[in-house]
Amino acid sequence: MTKAEKAVVIQELSEKFKETSNFYFTDASGLTVAEVNNFRQKCFDNGVEYKVVKNTLIRKALETVDADFSSLNDEVLTGFSGVMFTGADSANVPAKIIKEFKKEDSADRPKLKGASIDYDLFIGEEHLNTLAKLKSKSELIGEIIGLLQSPAKNVVSALQSSGQTLSGLVKTLSER
């Protein structure tokens, strides 16, 4: 790869890291070409972009972002690295894809090396279940709206039921 090609890759990665604060690093070493292609297809089907990139290029791209990713250098950016980019509303989707793919793979691959969710770092495989359980922003907003509407619904239903009781009482008194 020439210097010009490396510069293009670094520029593209820099833009991706600046666009989204949600990305995952995986280690898919040991997977066959067919398995990697299957993993890429699962990512594509779920709206996740997956790229395999050299660690030095990832480091250089991360240096351009206004956040501290230095803790990724020693533990995460070693060996075989794949990067999964996802949108703001679907921060948990890559973790779910990894978990699903691991169920099918006898060697328990790919491994989660680390993740950045809104620039909060999660380093290590032990965070996979936590990341998979994260709720999207739209799910959280829906829950909050539901909680806020609950007291109002209770008041309205109480007023409606008491109104029916009152009208029934008036009707009964008028019939007598």
Side-chain angles (χ1 to χ4, degrees):
M1 186 179 266
T2 66
K3 282 188 178 186
E5 292 171 333
K6 288 179 184 179
V8 169
V9 171
I10 291 171
Q11 179 63 33
E12 288 175 0
L13 281 175
S14 295
E15 290 172 10
K16 281 286 188 188
F17 287 131
K18 289 176 184 176
E19 282 176 16
T20 179
S21 59
N22 301 327
F23 47 89
Y24 288 64
F25 294 102
T26 62
D27 180 1
S29 58
L31 292 176
T32 65
V33 173
E35 290 169 329
V36 170
N37 288 340
N38 186 19
F39 185 68
R40 282 182 200 274
Q41 186 62 45
K42 284 183 188 268
C43 290
F44 179 78
D45 292 343
N46 288 289
V48 174
E49 183 180 348
Y50 178 71
K51 290 184 174 192
V52 176
V53 186
K54 290 187 175 190
N55 291 319
T56 53
L57 300 179
I58 294 172
R59 280 190 195 102
K60 289 180 181 181
L62 286 173
E63 288 172 1
T64 65
V65 180
D66 293 334
D68 182 26
F69 292 111
S70 59
S71 58
L72 295 176
N73 290 338
D74 297 330
E75 297 178 46
V76 176
L77 298 177
T78 59
F80 184 90
S81 293
V83 187
M84 299 172 78
F85 294 101
T86 185
D89 259 2
S90 54
N92 63 349
V93 173
K96 289 180 179 180
I97 293 170
I98 292 170
K99 280 186 72 164
E100 179 185 326
F101 198 82
K102 282 174 160 250
K103 287 179 186 176
E104 300 168 7
D105 187 58
S106 60
D108 200 34
R109 296 169 297 190
K111 300 284 185 199
L112 174 70
K113 294 167 76 174
S116 168
I117 307 297
D118 291 328
Y119 298 116
D120 289 326
L121 298 179
F122 299 86
I123 298 174
E125 179 78 16
E126 65 272 7
H127 295 291
L128 184 61
N129 288 329
T130 304
L131 292 169
K133 292 177 185 174
L134 283 178
K135 295 187 178 184
S136 69
K137 287 182 182 180
S138 58
E139 290 172 331
L140 289 173
I141 290 170
E143 283 184 12
I144 290 171
I145 289 172
L147 289 172
L148 291 173
Q149 287 179 342
S150 180
K153 285 181 181 177
N154 291 341
V155 169
V156 169
S157 67
L159 289 173
Q160 285 177 343
S161 67
S162 66
Q164 291 172 353
T165 305
L166 189 60
S167 68
L169 185 64
V170 170
K171 182 178 179 183
T172 304
L173 286 174
S174 68
E175 290 175 358
R176 287 186 182 175

